[in-house]
Amino acid sequence: MIYVLLFVGVTAVWGWTFVVVKNAIAEYPTLPFLQLRFLLAFLVMAILVRRLPTRKELRVGLLVGAVLAMGYLTQTLGLNLISPGNAGLITGLLVLFTPFIDRLFGVPLKRRTIIAVIVAVIGIGMVTGGPSAFGLGDLLVVVCAMFLALHIVLLSRWSPGLRSAPLAMVQMGACALIFSAGGTWSLSMPSTDVWIAIVITGVFASALAFFIQTWAQSHLDASRTALIIAMEPAWAVAAAVVLAGQRFGWLQAIGAALVLAAIVGHELAPLKFKTPEHEPSKT
């Protein structure tokens, strides 16, 4: 269970960084910000790992890292246009996308997963105010959720048996390469506040966070991973209220509670129905 607890901590960091990134890209271009973020993340991982990846780790890391890069590109571009709280909540739609993408690879849907996903999606809908005409920013973050769901599925399928640290390092390197292709032309010296955001997101929300995710997903299936990551919207709302001054009504609060209930219920269900080792199973 230690990897579950660490992964929950990662979602708290990710939720907080919606506000951090929103403030940073308000004064610094998106692509250079992402370039510096993931260059720093790659350097941190390279220092920690200090070993070369195998060919399989390199191949998997580059492919999965490219998907991750597309997720962060669409998310950050969308964050330019909408509030950090809404961006975090829409990103939570990956809970809906992940099991169905996983289904395309032949993984059956568990009933408890379907129920939890439905409850989580209802909660997200309540927090966002229900269906409405999405703008470009909302649409970009929806696309981000699709890419992040695909990233979860691919990582769950390919990471078991591979070393977590080198695989995470290659993913950070892939992101850095992709963002450098479009970011260097406008690269300029960031302000102190932007540098703080780059360090927070590069070290904690990227390097360490994706190392933990890669390690955790060697033990978790894609749907369970998505439900843990579904805590991110609740953290994003809390950060938006505390740090950015956003205000949400009682309906949004109930929605956030439903999302958390779906996650906790899904995590506790296997323990509730598990037969104790000291008792013989009934037939």
Side-chain angles (χ1 to χ4, degrees):
M1 288 293 292
I2 183 63
Y3 44 83
V4 173
L5 295 177
L6 287 173
F7 207 174
V8 169
V10 166
T11 65
V13 173
W14 283 337
W16 173 42
T17 56
F18 278 96
V19 175
V20 174
V21 173
K22 175 72 174 180
N23 292 337
I25 60 178
E27 62 173 285
Y28 198 71
T30 298
L31 283 175
F33 175 81
L34 289 170
Q35 177 190 10
L36 292 174
R37 169 181 178 170
F38 283 97
L39 280 173
L40 177 59
F42 174 72
L43 290 175
V44 169
M45 288 305 303
I47 292 171
L48 293 176
V49 175
R50 291 184 294 180
R51 66 185 69 178
L52 294 176
T54 64
R55 289 185 179 181
K56 185 174 182 180
E57 289 166 347
L58 183 62
R59 182 173 66 254
V60 170
L62 288 174
L63 179 56
V64 176
V67 173
L68 181 65
M70 293 301 100
Y72 270 96
L73 177 61
T74 50
Q75 183 186 71
T76 311
L77 290 173
L79 191 53
N80 267 306
L81 304 173
I82 62 177
S83 67
N86 286 357
L89 293 165
I90 296 172
T91 300
L93 291 175
L94 65 87
V95 178
L96 173 65
F97 299 139
T98 298
F100 291 96
I101 293 176
D102 212 14
R103 182 68 183 86
L104 297 176
F105 290 92
V107 178
L109 291 172
K110 298 176 182 177
R111 184 172 63 177
R112 64 183 175 85
T113 299
I114 295 174
I115 294 172
V117 166
I118 291 172
V119 173
V121 169
I122 291 173
I124 291 171
M126 292 173 66
V127 176
T128 56
S132 61
F134 272 15
L136 177 59
D138 301 298
L139 179 60
L140 285 169
V141 181
V142 169
V143 174
C144 152
M146 293 179 179
F147 275 118
L148 294 182
L150 179 59
H151 175 260
I152 290 171
V153 171
L154 295 179
L155 202 56
S156 288
R157 291 178 62 83
W158 296 339
S159 64
L162 300 180
R163 297 171 300 171
S164 301
L167 186 57
M169 178 183 69
V170 176
Q171 290 181 73
M172 297 302 97
C175 289
L177 284 173
I178 290 171
F179 294 135
S180 294
T184 304
W185 63 272
S186 57
L187 190 61
S188 59
M189 182 59 67
S191 66
T192 301
D193 289 341
V194 173
W195 270 121
I196 292 173
I198 289 170
V199 171
I200 290 172
T201 57
V203 176
F204 299 102
S206 297
L208 298 181
F210 284 104
F211 167 64
I212 292 172
Q213 181 183 354
T214 303
W215 172 57
Q217 285 203 245
S218 65
H219 302 277
L220 301 171
D221 60 34
S223 293
R224 193 178 181 196
T225 299
L227 286 164
I228 296 174
I229 292 178
M231 295 190 71
E232 182 181 348
W235 292 116
V237 169
V241 170
V242 174
L243 302 178
Q246 282 190 249
R247 293 294 177 263
F248 298 89
W250 62 269
L251 185 64
Q252 288 76 20
I254 293 174
L258 282 177
V259 174
L260 291 175
I263 299 162
V264 174
H266 185 270
E267 291 300 306
L268 294 180
L271 299 179
K272 180 178 180 181
F273 296 106
K274 185 177 180 181
T275 302
E277 292 183 3
H278 62 277
E279 294 182 5
S281 59
K282 298 179 180 180
T283 56

